[in-house]
Amino acid sequence: MVFRRPWVLRALLLLLLASAAVVAMGLLTSPGGGLSPLSALTLSVGAMGLGGWLGIRARVHWIDRPRFLRAEQRWAEGDHPYDVLQTLGNPPWMRGELGYRFFLLKSTLHLSLEHRDQAWVEALEAQLARLPLWKSLLVAQAFQKVPGTPSARRLAWGKRLLAWAPQMGRLQHLQGILLLRATDPESLHQAWRHFEAALPLSWDDPLVLEDLLLAGLQHGKEDVAEQALRVLESRHGDPRLPWDRGAAGMYLLRNGRHAEALALVQGMPPERRTHPLHWLAETVARRQLGDREGAWRVIGTAITQLPHAFRLWMERYQIALELHRDQEALETLERAWLALPEGEDSESLRQEWHLRRAEFAFWWEDRPTFARELLAQVPLERQGDHHPPLRLQVQVAEGDYEAAYAEVLALLKEQPQDVDLLLLQADCLAGMDAWEALLPYLEGLGEACRERPTYWHLLGLARAHLGDPLPARLDLERAVRMDPHGLRYLLDAGHACAELGDWDRAESHWRQALHVDPQAEEALIHLAEARKELQDLDGARRYLRECLLHHPDSQDAQTRLAELEAN
């Protein structure tokens, strides 16, 4: 069609305007025209205005609308936003519903390019395009910056504008923001009324929806946040639109909605995951859903994309622990130290790192002294929610039983039936060799304590030290049955069998201990002792040599091997 060529349309418009001007001037100069000069001039101006309006309508119909539809199609097909913007153009006269859709598409394209300020302005223009021209010019003035606390006059003006444009979501949102900054206590309640009113008017505006989502999460208005999130997911789920899926995902995780959090973020391509929360939402969701291997693969990609994100390294550490990759967990923890940021948050993150390193030193490396040194750099209120407190467990492991016992008694006054504290008190009594007090104490504990292997282990030790070997062996072996991977339980059960001269039974416990820790010094030495008692001297030497291979400084192993070699 000829009108698809812009230069032809421009020529026709110029011809129309020129014809209208010639007619008007002819009437103005004709002696018998019957029109006064003023009427002829008015007619000329009117003709030019009509020609201009017809020209704009023609251009919108034959040029701008087809370009807009092509741009919409290209965006839907996945073309690059820059190319779509070139197709869209920038006509200054777009109004009405077509103008609304035009500016919304421009806003979407700028948002996908991370030009958030420009996207915000374009989305505002979209809503203004729906208003009559005189209203839009007036309402647009309301969006100028208001420094400081808004005045009562400014708030009253906003109220009047809302009466003129009650369906404009951006105006409701603006009034809510201004009321949040006001000093009147009632203003906060009024602000949320405006935010709630803005929500159903802003379904096409992801920037306002995102702001309502974040404000709802920050101020505890989860009903507003939920509604905004549902609309964002259903209408703006295109992964090219970078609204804050990270914050939304963490909100879902805090509420136990792991599958929803995973569905929210897993479709985002790696190059668009520019914040650690985008990755954390997926890895934490996968961990909670049991897909630890999947979480491990995702966190590997995450640290490649954001190698200086401390939080991602700490997440990798947690996943490594759950996968029992202890060496990789330690290496990751050391790498996290290098990623600690500078600034105000660095101290709290540093304390978190020291706490996690203390946990690893205590539970995985069996280094309570090192754990105590690390904990000393963490304030008491930030030492985690371990139960019993980690510092008490470290005290007991280091042999400081008296100090730990006093603190346990103080905690038991507040929680007298706490099983963990009752058993830790028993552990302290055992450490202080108070066997006569320990046995009746344990026998007086309730059924909840008897469900723990620690209870039977301590009971067996108490009976053994009080000269009752057979019940001691039964109790210690019961602890082993309840926890067959407890190294201490296995070693002490073996000792109890050896006390009764049952070396075959003792050897089976110590072999099982060696399965738990193939380099356990005590297990290797006592296996050598069992082999010696069973007249297998070569086997005894073999175990002692293996022990010295792993523990070359073991005096006990050296002495026993020297005695066997001498014989």
Side-chain angles (χ1 to χ4, degrees), residues 24 145 423 442 456 521:
K145 288 187 178 180
L423 292 177
L442 288 170
W456 297 102
E521 179 182 0

Side-chain angles (χ1 to χ4, degrees), residues 521-564:
E521 179 182 0
E522 187 175 344
L524 289 166
I525 289 175
H526 289 301
L527 276 170
E529 183 182 3
R531 286 287 88 202
K532 177 183 175 183
E533 292 295 332
L534 294 170
Q535 306 302 315
D536 180 10
L537 298 183
D538 289 336
R541 294 189 188 96
R542 186 171 63 253
Y543 280 120
L544 290 171
R545 291 190 185 104
E546 185 178 351
C547 180
L548 288 171
L549 179 66
H550 300 304
H551 308 280
D553 298 327
S554 174
Q555 292 294 326
D556 194 6
Q558 290 175 6
T559 302
R560 290 171 184 263
L561 183 60
E563 291 175 358
L564 288 175

Side-chain angles (χ1 to χ4, degrees), residues 353-410:
W353 186 90
H354 280 116
L355 176 61
R356 301 295 169 235
R357 187 64 183 89
E359 292 170 349
F360 193 89
F362 182 66
W363 282 310
W364 280 272
E365 295 179 306
D366 194 21
R367 299 170 63 189
T369 302
F370 184 40
R372 175 174 50 78
E373 294 171 358
L374 291 163
L375 279 178
Q377 304 180 59
V378 184
L380 281 177
E381 64 274 11
R382 294 185 59 86
Q383 288 188 7
D385 55 356
H386 311 94
H387 191 73
L390 182 58
R391 57 188 174 78
L392 286 184
Q393 298 182 54
V394 170
Q395 278 184 314
V396 171
E398 284 195 297
D400 191 4
Y401 301 110
E402 291 81 359
Y405 185 77
E407 289 203 48
V408 170
L409 287 178

Side-chain angles (χ1 to χ4, degrees), residues 121-172:
V121 171
E122 300 289 358
L124 173 60
E125 289 292 337
Q127 294 202 2
L128 291 173
R130 275 182 162 175
L131 299 175
L133 185 59
W134 70 270
K135 275 190 181 181
S136 69
L137 294 175
L138 185 61
V139 171
Q141 301 305 309
F143 291 90
Q144 295 179 356
K145 288 187 178 180
V146 179
T149 303
S151 64
R153 183 178 177 183
R154 174 63 185 82
L155 294 173
W157 182 37
K159 194 173 181 180
R160 284 194 295 272
L161 291 176
L162 280 171
W164 291 342
Q167 298 303 310
M168 187 172 174
R170 280 294 181 114
L171 203 51
Q172 294 279 6

Side-chain angles (χ1 to χ4, degrees), residues 28-248:
L28 178 62
T29 56
S30 174
L35 292 177
S36 68
L38 181 59
S39 299
L41 181 61
T42 302
L43 180 61
S44 176
V45 171
M48 292 179 67
L50 178 62
W53 181 81
L54 290 173
I56 290 173
R57 296 304 299 168
R59 177 184 168 94
V60 168
H61 183 75
W62 280 298
I63 294 181
D64 296 330
R65 184 188 295 275
R67 290 185 69 177
F68 167 74
L69 295 175
R70 285 199 303 275
E72 266 195 335
Q73 182 179 0
R74 293 190 67 180
W75 174 245
E77 291 172 352
D79 284 6
H80 195 279
Y82 278 121
D83 298 333
V84 181
L85 280 170
Q86 293 299 316
T87 300
L88 192 60
N90 193 30
W93 43 70
M94 297 293 279
R95 306 291 304 165
E97 201 61 28
L98 181 62
Y100 175 74
R101 291 173 58 193
F102 173 86
F103 285 113
L104 270 186
L105 180 57
K106 284 194 73 174
S107 175
T108 298
L109 296 170
H110 283 295
L111 181 60
S112 71
L113 292 169
E114 302 280 359
H115 302 160
R116 297 181 71 87
D117 291 341
Q118 186 64 30
W120 188 272
V121 171
E122 300 289 358
L124 173 60
E125 289 292 337
Q127 294 202 2
L128 291 173
R130 275 182 162 175
L131 299 175
L133 185 59
W134 70 270
K135 275 190 181 181
S136 69
L137 294 175
L138 185 61
V139 171
Q141 301 305 309
F143 291 90
Q144 295 179 356
K145 288 187 178 180
V146 179
T149 303
S151 64
R153 183 178 177 183
R154 174 63 185 82
L155 294 173
W157 182 37
K159 194 173 181 180
R160 284 194 295 272
L161 291 176
L162 280 171
W164 291 342
Q167 298 303 310
M168 187 172 174
R170 280 294 181 114
L171 203 51
Q172 294 279 6
H173 178 251
L174 173 65
Q175 189 75 353
I177 291 175
L178 294 176
L179 285 165
L180 277 183
R181 290 161 49 190
T183 56
D184 182 6
E186 181 63 18
S187 297
L188 180 61
H189 178 66
Q190 295 178 16
W192 280 103
R193 283 196 313 202
H194 285 289
F195 287 152
E196 290 169 1
L199 192 53
L201 302 173
S202 306
W203 281 24
D204 290 332
D205 195 338
L207 289 166
V208 168
L209 290 169
E210 179 189 49
D211 196 66
L212 293 173
L213 166 69
L214 298 177
L217 297 179
Q218 181 180 356
H219 292 275
K221 297 284 187 178
E222 293 193 357
D223 55 336
V224 175
E226 278 282 350
Q227 293 179 60
L229 178 56
R230 282 199 297 269
V231 179
L232 282 167
E233 287 181 301
S234 60
R235 297 180 66 91
H236 308 284
D238 190 328
R240 295 174 292 179
L241 298 182
W243 52 270
D244 200 341
R245 289 174 175 82

